[in-house]
Amino acid sequence: PLCKQIPWDDNEDLVEAWKHGKTGFPMIDAIMNQLRTEGWIHHLARHRVACFLTRGDLWQSWEKGAHVFDEYLIDADWSLNNSNWMWLSCSAFFHQYFRCYSPVSKDLDKEGRYIRKYIKELEKMPNGYIHEPWKAPLSVQKAAGCIIGKDYPHPVVKNHSVTSKENMARMKTAYTNQPLKRKHDNANADTKIAKRIK
């Protein structure tokens, strides 16, 4: 098969939280809110949320993410969409699974303007906590009118650094367990293609 056969988890609650911008990670949620409301997101934003859903944090199948993109993207193209999801999940085409996007992107939105635009609950959260609002003291949350766990969710992943490393180990195991493709399989495939061309 074209794809590596990765034993993804199957957790609809996590997929729904990701789809509806309720993961508790402001950058991920802002991107998904923009996708649902505007039908478009920057290609690097697509990379970030795809990695988060699959090998980065939530360990859900790339096919579930592809279905969501197909549903909302105004520039959706079935072949490109599925190929990109295979690539970003390291299921095919790209296999450097140790390269992982962080769901906290302080460098891309230093003042939190993008986050505030797409997550109204965080409009008044100070810049110092806009990317990680769960770290804000309760007094700051109250002043911002956003209590974490009530007005905006706790992160669905407790520790990205730990989870991403665990998932890298799972990817390594999955890759190791893949059956080796024999050389004569390629030769047979080339012969069949040549016959079709004739």
Side-chain angles (χ1 to χ4, degrees):
L2 173 65
C3 269
K4 296 286 187 183
Q5 301 305 294
I6 311 297
W8 303 110
D9 291 340
D10 185 11
N11 188 321
E12 283 303 318
D13 289 340
L14 288 178
V15 175
E16 285 298 304
W18 173 83
K19 176 179 178 179
H20 294 286
K22 301 294 183 183
T23 69
F25 288 95
M27 180 56 70
I28 299 299
D29 294 341
I31 293 170
M32 294 307 293
N33 288 346
Q34 182 187 10
L35 172 63
R36 290 193 332 278
T37 57
E38 299 178 8
W40 183 88
I41 48 178
H42 190 277
H43 78 276
L44 291 180
R46 301 180 194 204
H47 290 192
R48 195 170 297 274
V49 295
C51 183
F52 181 80
L53 178 69
T54 58
R55 62 188 173 85
D57 291 88
L58 302 187
W59 199 256
Q60 302 300 302
S61 172
W62 64 267
E63 294 178 83
K64 295 183 178 182
H67 288 318
V68 172
F69 273 29
D70 270 335
E71 179 180 355
Y72 290 113
L73 282 173
I74 58 176
D75 62 348
D77 177 284
W78 188 89
S79 57
L80 289 175
N81 185 37
N82 282 276
S83 295
N84 282 332
W85 273 94
M86 283 188 272
W87 170 45
L88 288 161
S89 66
C90 286
S91 298
F93 310 121
F94 176 80
H95 301 114
Q96 295 179 28
Y97 56 81
F98 48 85
R99 296 179 62 183
C100 184
Y101 286 91
S102 170
V104 179
S105 310
K106 297 179 182 180
D107 56 325
L108 298 179
D109 187 27
K110 293 180 180 179
E111 297 179 0
R113 285 183 287 183
Y114 177 79
I115 289 172
R116 290 187 179 91
K117 179 177 180 179
Y118 293 104
I119 305 177
K120 297 304 180 184
E121 297 89 339
L122 296 175
E123 277 185 321
K124 297 180 181 179
M125 189 64 67
N127 288 356
Y129 297 107
I130 190 69
H131 289 276
E132 299 173 298
W134 61 90
K135 292 184 177 180
L138 184 58
S139 59
V140 173
Q141 295 180 36
K142 287 181 176 179
C146 181
I147 305 300
I148 304 305
K150 178 183 176 184
D151 303 301
Y152 184 70
H154 287 290
V156 293
V157 173
K158 290 184 178 180
N159 189 317
H160 162 73
S161 180
V162 172
T163 299
S164 62
K165 286 180 173 61
E166 290 174 348
N167 286 348
M168 287 177 198
R170 295 173 81 176
M171 287 295 287
K172 182 177 181 180
T173 298
Y175 274 40
T176 301
N177 292 339
Q178 298 295 300
L180 293 174
K181 189 173 182 64
R182 294 169 295 181
K183 290 183 178 180
H184 75 266
D185 288 344
N186 286 329
N188 290 340
D190 292 340
T191 301
K192 289 177 181 179
I193 292 172
K195 289 180 179 178
R196 288 177 185 172
I197 294 174
K198 290 181 179 178

